[in-house]
């Protein structure tokens, strides 16, 4: 709300009105019941910065007559050289409490020397703000750690940057920043090295001879003609290519097959075998939603997702998935076997 009114004030100043005209506009706005307190507060402080204390006092008096709120902190600052009466101090404390404006006394210290209650109130408010700040900081830390554990790196980074803006001198946050940046760099490097390894592996695969490719293309062409009349043959053709390790041709053949649960899972296996891990994970996500009523689906999906994560260089994420499977279903031997293999028998709990 303050920013909106600051823009309004800026627009007024751009028109370069005379001082008298600007003062009339501000006083009228301050005494208007249509303006909210947040809107008015900007104008009060503008007058203070402008040095128009006489106008502020006059407007405060008019506000009291109409029972409109005015800024207690400015009132204390303007009267800092005057010793207030006990009744005035009592009225101030009552007004702060009634208007729920105790926070305004935090930056107005000049009356503390006249009454200990003002200093005590200020100390209490500061303690509350510190406690609230610590609680907010703890909540943000917990959110950051949750996002970090879920490998939501971008979101975790935004939370960490916000904490550093609020608490720039906190040594623990500075340490967290260094750890987070190091972890991010290692993940980027790990992903890059995995990509290089995959490319190297692909280069090491024995390429078909031109004659072999020609024969396989003829086989595919003939198979497609049969599949047009007998779509059920497509899955058999895909499995044949699967055994020949012609995974991309197998996927192409499977495109002719009718939609079924078996064919969808076969496609997942082919995508993983062809090292199309991102596509495989996308399909797994869709299958999990599609067959959500089957309790076995979730275990199968997560088991295969773990393998994809492992191949993409995210070994820790893969192990976390497998461990969650085993915790829920200790008898899932395939998951246990992969954990043992990937940790070389180390304690993984």
């Amino acid at each position: 709300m303050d920013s909106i009114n600051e823009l309004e004030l800026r627009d007024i100043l751009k028109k370069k009105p005379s001082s008298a005209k600007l003062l009339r506009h501000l006083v009228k706005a301050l005494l208007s019941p249509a303006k909210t307190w947040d809107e008015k507060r900007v104008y009060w402080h503008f007058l203070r910065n402008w040095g128009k204390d006489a106008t502020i006092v006059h407007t405060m008096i008019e506000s009291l007559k109409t029972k409109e709120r005015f800024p207690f902190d400015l009132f204390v600052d303007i009267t800092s050289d005057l010793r207030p009466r006990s009744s005035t101090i009592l009225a101030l404390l009552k007004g702060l409490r009634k208007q729920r404006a105790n926070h305004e006394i935090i930056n107005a210290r000049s009356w503390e020397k006249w009454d200990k209650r003002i200093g005590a109130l200020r100390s209490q408010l500061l303690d509350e703000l510190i406690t609230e700040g610590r609680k907010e900081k703890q909540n943000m830390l917990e959110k950051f750690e949750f996002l970090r554990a879920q490998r939501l790196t971008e979101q975790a980074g935004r939370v960490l940057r916000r904490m550093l803006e609020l608490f720039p001198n906190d040594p623990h946050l500075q340490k967290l920043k260094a750890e987070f940046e190091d972890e991010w760099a290692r993940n980027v490097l790990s992903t890059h090295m995995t990509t290089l390894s995959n490319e190297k592996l692909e280069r090491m695969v024995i390429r078909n001879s031109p004659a072999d490719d020609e024969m396989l293309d003829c086989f595919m062409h003939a198979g497609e003609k049969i599949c047009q009349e007998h779509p059920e043959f497509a899955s058999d053709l895909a499995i044949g290519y699967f055994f020949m390790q012609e995974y991309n041709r197998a996927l192409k053949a499977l495109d002719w097959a009718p939609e079924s649960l078996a064919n969808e899972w076969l496609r997942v296996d082919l995508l993983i075998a062809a090292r199309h891990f991102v596509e495989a994970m996308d399909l797994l996500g869709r299958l999990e939603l599609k067959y959500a009523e089957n309790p076995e689906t979730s275990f199968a999906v997560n088991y295969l997702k773990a393998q994809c994560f492992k191949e993409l260089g995210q070994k820790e994420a893969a192990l976390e998935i497998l461990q969650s499977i085993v915790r829920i279903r200790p008898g899932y031997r395939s998951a246990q076997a992969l954990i043992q293999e990937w940790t070389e028998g180390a304690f993984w709990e």
Side-chain angles (χ1 to χ4, degrees), residues 16-24 50:
K16 297 182 179 179
S18 64
S19 297
K21 186 176 181 180
L22 179 58
L23 278 175
R24 285 197 300 270
W50 191 7

Side-chain angles (χ1 to χ4, degrees), residues 101-126:
N102 284 342
H103 60 278
E104 290 186 16
I105 208 64
I106 290 177
N107 294 320
R109 301 186 177 189
S110 56
W111 279 21
E112 289 184 12
K113 58 181 176 288
W114 307 121
D115 195 298
K116 293 181 180 180
R117 288 175 295 179
I118 297 177
L121 175 60
R122 184 173 177 277
S123 297
Q124 177 188 336
L125 291 170
L126 287 173

Side-chain angles (χ1 to χ4, degrees), residues 77-110:
D77 282 344
I78 290 173
T79 58
S80 60
D81 294 332
L82 304 174
R83 179 164 186 165
R85 297 177 181 177
S86 298
S87 58
T88 304
I89 294 175
L90 185 62
L92 172 72
L93 294 172
K94 183 178 179 182
L96 289 170
R97 184 174 62 255
K98 188 174 181 180
Q99 296 287 345
R100 297 182 181 179
N102 284 342
H103 60 278
E104 290 186 16
I105 208 64
I106 290 177
N107 294 320
R109 301 186 177 189
S110 56

Side-chain angles (χ1 to χ4, degrees), residues 9 22-31 43 46-47 50:
L9 187 56
L22 179 58
L23 278 175
R24 285 197 300 270
H25 176 88
L26 295 177
V27 170
K28 182 179 178 181
L30 290 173
L31 296 176
Y43 291 152
F46 177 79
L47 287 173
W50 191 7

Side-chain angles (χ1 to χ4, degrees), residues 276-324:
H276 300 323
F277 301 116
V278 176
E279 291 180 56
M281 292 179 70
D282 179 64
L283 178 55
L284 285 168
R286 286 184 274 125
L287 291 180
E288 187 172 21
L289 291 174
K290 187 175 181 179
Y291 301 107
E293 72 282 354
N294 186 346
E296 297 300 320
T297 300
S298 180
F299 290 105
V301 164
N302 284 300
Y303 175 74
L304 293 171
K305 276 186 176 180
Q307 296 180 54
C308 292
F309 271 120
K310 170 68 163 51
E311 294 299 330
L312 289 169
Q314 302 294 320
K315 183 179 176 180
E316 291 182 7
L319 283 172
E320 285 177 10
I321 293 173
L322 292 178
Q323 290 163 11
S324 66

